[in-house]
Protein backbone atom coordinates (compact mmCIF):
# COMPACT_ATOMS: atom_id res chain seq x y z
CA UNK A 1 0.00 0.00 0.00
CA UNK A 2 2.90 2.35 0.69
CA UNK A 3 4.20 1.90 -2.85
CA UNK A 4 0.77 2.61 -4.33
CA UNK A 5 0.46 5.74 -2.20
CA UNK A 6 3.92 6.87 -3.22
CA UNK A 7 3.21 6.33 -6.91
CA UNK A 8 -0.01 8.34 -6.64
CA UNK A 9 1.84 11.22 -5.04
CA UNK A 10 4.51 11.44 -7.73
CA UNK A 11 3.42 13.99 -10.31
CA UNK A 12 5.85 13.13 -13.06
CA UNK A 13 9.36 11.97 -13.73
CA UNK A 14 11.45 9.12 -12.40
CA UNK A 15 11.98 8.37 -8.74
CA UNK A 16 14.19 5.71 -7.19
CA UNK A 17 13.05 4.21 -3.92
CA UNK A 18 15.68 2.48 -1.77
CA UNK A 19 14.42 -0.06 0.73
CA UNK A 20 16.67 -1.46 3.45
CA UNK A 21 15.82 -4.01 6.09
CA UNK A 22 17.62 -6.20 8.58
CA UNK A 23 16.58 -9.80 9.01
CA UNK A 24 18.47 -12.27 11.17
CA UNK A 25 21.38 -9.79 11.42
CA UNK A 26 21.67 -9.64 7.63
CA UNK A 27 21.18 -6.36 5.82
CA UNK A 28 19.00 -6.65 2.74
CA UNK A 29 18.73 -3.75 0.31
CA UNK A 30 16.67 -3.34 -2.81
CA UNK A 31 15.81 -0.43 -5.00
CA UNK A 32 12.80 0.18 -7.17
CA UNK A 33 12.69 2.75 -9.94
CA UNK A 34 9.27 4.16 -10.73
CA UNK A 35 8.52 6.29 -13.80
CA UNK A 36 5.22 8.12 -13.85
CA UNK A 37 3.87 9.80 -16.97
CA UNK A 38 1.43 12.53 -16.00
CA UNK A 39 -2.11 12.56 -17.29
CA UNK A 40 -2.71 15.31 -19.84
CA UNK A 41 -4.46 18.37 -18.47
CA UNK A 42 -6.98 20.47 -20.33
CA UNK A 43 -7.44 18.27 -23.36
CA UNK A 44 -9.71 19.89 -25.96
CA UNK A 45 -11.71 17.98 -28.57
CA UNK A 46 -13.71 19.80 -31.24
CA UNK A 47 -16.23 18.59 -33.79
CA UNK A 48 -17.57 20.72 -36.65
CA UNK A 49 -19.20 18.10 -38.87
CA UNK A 50 -21.69 15.58 -37.57
CA UNK A 51 -22.68 12.22 -39.05
CA UNK A 52 -24.70 10.88 -36.11
CA UNK A 53 -26.96 12.14 -33.33
CA UNK A 54 -25.01 9.96 -30.88
CA UNK A 55 -21.24 9.53 -31.05
CA UNK A 56 -17.90 9.84 -29.25
CA UNK A 57 -15.48 12.71 -29.70
CA UNK A 58 -12.68 10.57 -28.25
CA UNK A 59 -12.33 7.82 -25.66
CA UNK A 60 -13.45 10.15 -22.84
CA UNK A 61 -16.18 12.38 -24.31
CA UNK A 62 -19.44 11.34 -25.96
CA UNK A 63 -22.74 12.96 -26.85
CA UNK A 64 -26.29 11.78 -27.35
CA UNK A 65 -29.40 13.61 -28.56
CA UNK A 66 -32.97 13.09 -27.41
CA UNK A 67 -36.34 14.16 -28.81
CA UNK A 68 -37.61 15.25 -25.39
CA UNK A 69 -40.51 17.60 -26.01
CA UNK A 70 -39.37 18.48 -29.53
CA UNK A 71 -41.53 18.33 -32.64
CA UNK A 72 -39.31 15.62 -34.24
CA UNK A 73 -36.46 13.29 -33.40
CA UNK A 74 -33.01 14.88 -33.70
CA UNK A 75 -31.62 14.37 -37.20
CA UNK A 76 -28.53 14.94 -39.31
CA UNK A 77 -28.90 17.46 -42.11
CA UNK A 78 -25.99 19.05 -43.96
CA UNK A 79 -23.46 17.75 -41.38
CA UNK A 80 -25.36 19.49 -38.55
CA UNK A 81 -27.51 17.99 -35.84
CA UNK A 82 -31.02 19.40 -35.94
CA UNK A 83 -32.47 19.54 -32.46
CA UNK A 84 -36.08 20.59 -32.74
CA UNK A 85 -38.12 23.23 -30.97
CA UNK A 86 -40.72 22.47 -28.30
CA UNK A 87 -43.96 20.97 -29.54
CA UNK A 88 -46.35 23.62 -28.24
CA UNK A 89 -49.29 21.89 -30.00
CA UNK A 90 -48.74 19.01 -27.58
CA UNK A 91 -48.30 21.34 -24.60
CA UNK A 92 -44.55 20.78 -24.34
CA UNK A 93 -42.47 23.39 -22.53
CA UNK A 94 -39.06 22.44 -23.92
CA UNK A 95 -37.68 20.94 -27.11
CA UNK A 96 -35.08 18.31 -27.90
CA UNK A 97 -31.73 18.06 -26.17
CA UNK A 98 -28.11 17.00 -26.42
CA UNK A 99 -26.19 15.58 -23.48
CA UNK A 100 -22.40 15.61 -23.47
CA UNK A 101 -20.87 13.09 -21.07
CA UNK A 102 -17.37 12.46 -19.76
CA UNK A 103 -16.00 9.04 -18.79
CA UNK A 104 -13.08 9.04 -16.31
CA UNK A 105 -12.81 12.80 -16.83
CA UNK A 106 -14.38 16.10 -15.81
CA UNK A 107 -15.52 18.70 -18.32
CA UNK A 108 -13.93 22.08 -17.56
CA UNK A 109 -15.26 24.08 -20.52
CA UNK A 110 -17.75 23.53 -23.32
CA UNK A 111 -18.85 25.51 -26.37
CA UNK A 112 -21.75 24.77 -28.70
CA UNK A 113 -22.58 26.56 -31.94
CA UNK A 114 -25.76 26.82 -33.99
CA UNK A 115 -26.32 27.93 -37.57
CA UNK A 116 -29.85 29.04 -36.60
CA UNK A 117 -30.67 31.58 -33.92
CA UNK A 118 -32.16 29.84 -30.90
CA UNK A 119 -32.28 29.75 -27.15
CA UNK A 120 -31.06 26.94 -24.91
CA UNK A 121 -30.98 25.99 -21.28
CA UNK A 122 -28.34 23.80 -19.70
CA UNK A 123 -28.10 21.57 -16.66
CA UNK A 124 -24.92 20.26 -15.06
CA UNK A 125 -24.80 16.62 -13.90
CA UNK A 126 -28.60 16.36 -14.07
CA UNK A 127 -29.09 19.38 -11.80
CA UNK A 128 -31.33 22.39 -12.04
CA UNK A 129 -32.00 23.78 -15.50
CA UNK A 130 -30.60 27.26 -16.21
CA UNK A 131 -32.58 30.18 -17.56
CA UNK A 132 -32.68 30.68 -21.35
CA UNK A 133 -29.44 31.58 -23.15
CA UNK A 134 -29.61 33.09 -26.63
CA UNK A 135 -27.40 31.89 -29.47
CA UNK A 136 -27.36 34.06 -32.59
CA UNK A 137 -27.34 32.51 -36.07
CA UNK A 138 -23.79 31.32 -36.63
CA UNK A 139 -22.99 32.09 -33.00
CA UNK A 140 -21.63 30.12 -30.08
CA UNK A 141 -22.41 29.67 -26.40
CA UNK A 142 -19.65 28.82 -23.90
CA UNK A 143 -19.62 27.57 -20.32
CA UNK A 144 -16.29 27.89 -18.47
CA UNK A 145 -14.96 27.06 -15.01
CA UNK A 146 -16.78 23.74 -14.90
CA UNK A 147 -15.97 20.51 -13.08
CA UNK A 148 -18.75 18.24 -14.30
CA UNK A 149 -19.33 14.78 -15.70
CA UNK A 150 -22.24 15.72 -17.96
CA UNK A 151 -23.92 18.76 -19.47
CA UNK A 152 -27.34 18.76 -21.08
CA UNK A 153 -28.39 21.52 -23.48
CA UNK A 154 -32.11 21.78 -24.26
CA UNK A 155 -33.60 23.71 -27.17
CA UNK A 156 -36.11 26.24 -25.86
CA UNK A 157 -37.19 27.61 -29.25
CA UNK A 158 -40.94 27.66 -29.81
CA UNK A 159 -41.07 27.89 -33.61
CA UNK A 160 -39.41 26.30 -36.63
CA UNK A 161 -37.19 29.40 -36.89
CA UNK A 162 -35.69 28.75 -33.42
CA UNK A 163 -34.23 25.27 -33.70
CA UNK A 164 -30.79 24.29 -32.42
CA UNK A 165 -28.83 23.43 -35.55
CA UNK A 166 -25.69 22.19 -33.86
CA UNK A 167 -22.69 22.88 -36.09
CA UNK A 168 -19.95 23.16 -33.46
CA UNK A 169 -19.06 21.30 -30.28
CA UNK A 170 -15.83 21.84 -28.36
CA UNK A 171 -15.13 20.24 -25.00
CA UNK A 172 -12.16 20.83 -22.73
CA UNK A 173 -11.65 18.25 -20.01
CA UNK A 174 -9.24 16.97 -17.37
CA UNK A 175 -8.80 13.26 -16.67
CA UNK A 176 -9.86 11.97 -13.26
Amino acid sequence: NFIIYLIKTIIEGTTTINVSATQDSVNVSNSLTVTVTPKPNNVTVTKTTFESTSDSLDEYISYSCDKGGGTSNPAINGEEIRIYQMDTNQGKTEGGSITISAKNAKISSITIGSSMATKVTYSLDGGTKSSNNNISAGGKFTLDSLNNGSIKFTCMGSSKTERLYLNYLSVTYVLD
Side-chain angles (χ1 to χ4, degrees):
N1 287 338
F2 172 74
I3 298 294
I4 293 170
Y5 169 77
L6 187 59
I7 290 171
K8 286 182 179 179
T9 60
I10 299 171
I11 296 173
E12 64 180 294
T14 301
T15 300
T16 300
I17 304 164
N18 294 311
V19 179
S20 298
T22 302
Q23 182 177 6
D24 299 327
S25 299
V26 176
N27 288 331
V28 178
S29 295
N30 284 314
S31 66
L32 170 69
T33 301
V34 178
T35 302
V36 176
T37 303
K39 294 178 183 177
N41 286 320
N42 295 323
V43 176
T44 300
V45 289
T46 301
K47 191 164 183 74
T48 58
T49 59
F50 297 87
E51 301 84 31
S52 175
T53 59
S54 178
D55 201 358
S56 294
L57 300 182
D58 68 7
E59 63 185 293
Y60 301 103
I61 304 297
S62 61
Y63 67 87
S64 181
C65 298
D66 185 67
K67 178 181 178 183
T71 55
S72 294
N73 287 321
I76 299 298
N77 189 297
E79 297 183 329
E80 297 178 328
I81 301 176
R82 288 189 174 184
I83 300 173
Y84 290 90
Q85 76 277 9
M86 65 180 84
D87 190 347
T88 55
N89 292 332
Q90 297 296 318
K92 304 297 182 182
T93 58
E94 62 184 32
S97 65
I98 181 170
T99 301
I100 299 89
S101 301
K103 178 181 172 187
N104 300 320
K106 293 292 186 194
I107 298 169
S108 56
S109 175
I110 188 165
T111 301
I112 61 170
S114 179
S115 66
M116 179 180 279
T118 191
K119 50 191 171 233
V120 296
T121 60
Y122 65 88
S123 62
L124 306 173
D125 295 329
T128 305
K129 186 170 63 170
S130 74
S131 58
N132 287 346
N133 299 275
N134 293 320
I135 303 175
S136 61
K140 293 183 174 99
F141 176 68
T142 299
L143 294 171
D144 283 319
S145 302
L146 303 174
N147 186 28
N148 299 92
S150 70
I151 300 161
K152 178 180 179 181
F153 291 98
T154 302
C155 179
M156 298 303 291
S158 57
S159 73
K160 65 181 181 179
T161 61
E162 293 182 304
R163 295 172 177 161
L164 173 58
Y165 281 5
L166 190 78
N167 62 359
Y168 184 88
L169 175 60
S170 184
V171 180
T172 300
Y173 64 90
V174 178
L175 297 175
D176 285 340

